[in-house]
Amino acid sequence: MGNMIMETTPLSVNEIATIVPETSINPDQSLPIETAPSSMNETSNVQQTSHNQEHETPSATAGNASMNVTDIDVPEINNNQEHSLTMETTSSSIPEPLPRQPTIKHNKKTILAWLTACKEIDEGTQVRYHDGEKPITGRIFNGAILCSCCDEEISVWKFEKHAQSEDIQPYKRILVATRKSVLQNILISKWLKEDEQKRRDMFMYAPIHDIVCLVCGKGEDEGEFINCTNCPSTYHRSCAFIQGFSQENDDHWLCSYCSCKYCKGGHEEEYPLDILCRQCNKKCHWMCLNKSEKDLLRTHCSVSCKEIDEKLKGSIGIQNNINGNESYSWRVLQQMDTKSEDHYVISNSKVAATCMLMEEAFGMITDKHTGVNVVQSVLYNRRSNLRRLDFRRCYTFIIEEDDAIIAAATVRFHGKGLAEMPFIATDEAYRGKRICHLLMEIIESFLQSLEVERLTIPSNPQTVEMWKQKYSFSVVNDKKLKKDMVSYNLLMFPGAIRLSKRLFLDLNEPFGNVEPNTVN
């Protein structure tokens, strides 16, 4: 089974200037021209596309019908058809950089669509706008509102405009007749229900140690394991570049997340690991910080991690119009534990709606050994005591048309040195319009504004040449770079090939200044 990405022509400089919002561009950096609609990941039940479409070469998943995939459960699929994980089709030329409203009916990925899919609201339920200048009613239909005044399917935002209201709070003003409540209260109620809480509850791994290598995603058949003394993480010695470490000392080996980021030492009574970084999740001794940083840092391991964390948290849920077009926008999402704050209620609900898009594109990718739904856990940034399934630092980038999510990608930031993108998908009705490419430009521009140096993806072996030749990715063959990446928790799948792309070059702090904790 190959993950298929559909070919798109690289954007010209002029096209980039018209598509990417100015607020997303770092003025000190030029946007990369050759970017891939970077896909990713791996074995899954994917949605199928027909042969009459113009295909890109298979993208970033390790899954292949001929591969022995041991650690991911994948439903059987028809190998005579092409498959897409990025769901991006080709269009040799388009008159406009953004698509017009699709004419075919399809399942829109909106908050209303999520509520109807969850049976919180029935299709056809009557709604009305409360406290608008103009009395207006409608019915929920196809993830939108069938407006009584124009007999058209419109978004909640346009419904508010039709009511001649300038509140810009449609979810607090649209009353659902059958529930005798506004949408905002229904969203809060749904978010607090048991089924939604289970999606984001911390996954606790009971066994003492994992049976899958954190680096390659394979089991003990692939080589000798070494276990971290303080956490369940397990590594193949060869994957962790551990040589000459005697068996009798195995009980004292610490992974890079259980030792100091700087000195590699562990937790001692005199020298405790005082700081657990809120951004990269690495630990360090307060004494190991630079003198200038000691007064600034109590919750982060470095100034750069603090800056990244603050910008990400400040970006959650904020709508960024694309080139001033109010119909098209992008946002950064992350599931937040909150009950009533308007900003986060809507953002959390969009995470749930995005899950609909990803599940339609990828089906279900299940970790074989734990039963964890990987795609869902990444989207909900679900925590775990098992490092390789701990997704607490994952964010989701989306593009919307009005209130419909038309493309999404998940990104995890590992500090200034590295970011990874496990999943990316485009809604079926928008394939072939370079929306995936647009999302990649937005993400890379955002990473560059934070001076993140590299972006990495796992790639299907069949797509490696495409990534190298067309999109400037390269196979991670350099031994030092491999060692650097070992020190990070990167989502990986059996058979995948690790690719990376340099986004930003900091000569004062090159990626790789922090070595993985191997042999002292």
Side-chain angles (χ1 to χ4, degrees):
M1 174 184 64
N3 173 24
M4 201 56 85
I5 198 175
M6 305 311 195
E7 175 114 31
T8 57
T9 306
L11 298 179
S12 69
V13 175
N14 290 334
E15 287 174 317
I16 292 171
T18 60
I19 293 178
V20 181
E22 292 182 2
T23 54
S24 71
I25 300 176
N26 178 2
D28 297 325
Q29 296 295 316
S30 59
L31 276 171
I33 305 301
E34 291 278 12
T35 62
S38 177
S39 145
M40 79 107 266
N41 197 293
E42 166 22 7
T43 3
S44 69
N45 176 22
V46 295
Q47 203 165 36
Q48 302 172 357
T49 57
S50 63
H51 280 290
N52 61 7
Q53 291 174 317
E54 218 178 300
H55 293 298
E56 243 182 341
T57 26
S59 150
T61 159
N64 187 293
S66 63
M67 289 179 143
N68 179 21
V69 179
T70 59
D71 297 303
I72 301 290
D73 285 334
V74 185
E76 291 185 5
I77 61 174
N78 182 355
N79 291 325
N80 293 323
Q81 289 183 299
E82 303 284 3
H83 309 286
S84 175
L85 288 190
T86 57
M87 314 308 294
E88 179 72 10
T89 56
T90 252
S91 176
S92 56
S93 62
I94 54 175
E96 297 178 357
L98 291 171
R100 296 184 176 91
Q101 176 72 22
T103 54
I104 10 178
K105 301 292 182 185
H106 75 289
N107 182 22
K108 294 178 181 177
K109 311 309 183 294
T110 65
I111 291 176
L112 290 181
W114 171 59
L115 288 175
T116 55
C118 296
K119 307 299 182 185
E120 292 292 318
I121 301 175
D122 293 329
E123 192 88 350
T125 296
Q126 188 177 42
V127 296
R128 68 180 176 86
Y129 193 89
H130 181 62
D131 286 344
E133 292 291 329
K134 175 183 175 182
I136 187 173
T137 62
R139 293 187 179 276
I140 294 176
F141 179 71
N142 192 33
I145 296 176
L146 187 60
C147 182
S148 60
C149 75
C150 63
D151 199 31
E152 291 185 0
E153 291 178 34
I154 58 177
S155 68
V156 294
W157 304 101
K158 289 183 177 178
F159 189 67
E160 183 176 57
K161 288 183 177 180
H162 284 205
Q164 297 179 3
S165 172
E166 297 181 357
D167 284 353
I168 318 180
Q169 297 188 83
Y171 294 98
K172 297 183 74 173
R173 296 288 183 264
I174 296 176
L175 184 67
V176 180
T178 56
R179 295 288 295 269
K180 298 180 179 179
S181 180
V182 293
L183 283 171
Q184 178 97 342
N185 293 338
I186 297 173
L187 292 175
I188 294 172
S189 173
K190 173 58 180 171
W191 196 252
L192 296 178
K193 286 188 174 180
E194 184 179 0
D195 59 335
E196 276 300 314
Q197 289 185 2
K198 284 183 177 179
R199 287 175 178 240
R200 57 187 189 270
D201 281 348
M202 183 173 182
F203 171 71
M204 294 301 297
Y205 185 71
I208 297 176
H209 289 111
D210 197 2
I211 55 176
V212 176
C213 175
L214 184 143
V215 178
C216 70
K218 298 179 182 178
E220 59 186 351
D221 293 343
E222 299 295 323
E224 184 183 1
F225 275 157
I226 185 169
N227 303 316
C228 178
T229 303
N230 284 355
C231 77
S233 296
T234 297
Y235 296 74
H236 289 124
R237 288 175 175 270
S238 57
C239 290
F241 295 91
I242 297 175
Q243 297 177 354
F245 201 78
S246 61
Q247 291 284 344
E248 58 268 22
N249 290 328
D250 279 4
D251 290 340
H252 304 288
W253 186 79
L254 298 173
C255 73
S256 61
Y257 286 89
C258 292
S259 57
C260 177
K261 176 178 178 178
Y262 299 106
C263 75
K264 315 305 179 198
H267 181 90
E268 299 177 13
E269 188 172 346
E270 290 186 29
Y271 301 102
L273 288 170
D274 313 82
I275 296 175
L276 173 61
C277 185
R278 290 180 179 176
Q279 170 50 40
C280 71
N281 211 34
K282 294 290 186 72
K283 298 176 182 178
C284 69
H285 302 112
W286 183 75
M287 295 299 295
C288 290
L289 295 175
N290 293 330
K291 184 177 180 180
S292 60
E293 296 180 332
K294 287 183 177 179
D295 294 333
L296 299 173
L297 303 174
R298 292 293 180 181
T299 56
H300 297 84
C301 67
S302 65
V303 172
S304 60
C305 270
K306 186 174 185 291
E307 291 173 349
I308 290 172
D309 190 36
E310 289 174 350
K311 177 164 182 176
L312 284 167
K313 291 295 190 291
S315 300
I316 293 174
I318 302 299
Q319 181 179 359
N320 304 276
N321 290 337
I322 297 179
N323 196 32
N325 188 335
E326 293 184 359
S327 295
Y328 294 90
S329 61
W330 64 273
R331 300 175 192 250
V332 180
L333 304 177
Q334 189 184 56
Q335 184 273 131
M336 305 290 286
D337 292 326
T338 181
K339 295 182 179 180
S340 59
E341 289 184 56
D342 298 349
H343 185 63
Y344 293 130
V345 169
I346 304 305
S347 181
N348 286 348
S349 301
K350 288 185 181 293
V351 169
T354 303
C355 198
M356 297 170 60
L357 170 62
M358 290 292 191
E359 287 177 347
E360 181 181 281
F362 294 95
M364 181 180 290
I365 301 178
T366 305
D367 181 70
K368 179 178 179 180
H369 304 287
T370 62
V372 167
N373 183 329
V374 178
V375 176
Q376 189 181 97
S377 296
V378 170
L379 283 167
Y380 279 75
N381 49 286
R382 191 181 184 192
R383 297 177 300 150
S384 175
N385 65 323
L386 182 58
R387 191 78 57 193
R388 68 181 177 87
L389 296 178
D390 184 8
F391 303 114
R392 73 184 73 193
R393 294 174 292 108
C394 291
Y395 293 80
T396 301
F397 286 70
I398 63 170
I399 292 179
E400 296 176 282
E401 181 189 35
D402 288 333
D403 61 349
I405 298 165
I406 63 176
T410 58
V411 180
R412 179 160 51 175
F413 295 76
H414 297 276
K416 188 176 179 180
L418 187 68
E420 62 171 319
M421 188 178 68
F423 299 101
I424 188 167
T426 303
D427 185 54
E428 182 179 5
Y430 293 84
R431 300 172 201 165
K433 303 178 187 297
R434 294 195 293 182
I435 296 300
C436 186
H437 200 125
L438 169 59
L439 182 57
M440 278 301 301
E441 295 289 355
I442 290 169
I443 291 171
E444 291 193 9
S445 177
F446 190 93
L447 294 175
Q448 287 176 328
S449 72
L450 292 170
E451 299 183 357
V452 173
E453 295 167 28
R454 284 186 181 271
L455 176 65
T456 182
I457 59 172
S459 173
N460 186 312
Q462 296 177 345
T463 67
V464 170
E465 289 305 312
M466 180 273 292
W467 289 113
K468 289 167 60 177
Q469 294 176 15
K470 293 187 176 182
Y471 304 111
S472 303
F473 278 83
S474 60
V475 178
V476 180
N477 283 325
D478 180 76
K479 187 175 182 180
K480 187 177 186 304
L481 184 55
K482 281 186 175 182
K483 281 187 175 183
D484 291 332
M485 288 191 172
V486 166
S487 68
Y488 296 96
N489 173 25
L490 302 175
L491 186 56
M492 193 58 172
F493 300 87
I497 295 175
R498 177 66 60 190
L499 304 181
S500 75
K501 177 178 182 178
R502 182 174 287 280
L503 302 173
F504 184 90
L505 180 61
D506 185 350
L507 298 177
N508 296 318
E509 189 180 351
F511 174 58
N513 63 321
V514 178
E515 290 290 336
N517 182 30
T518 53
V519 183
N520 293 324

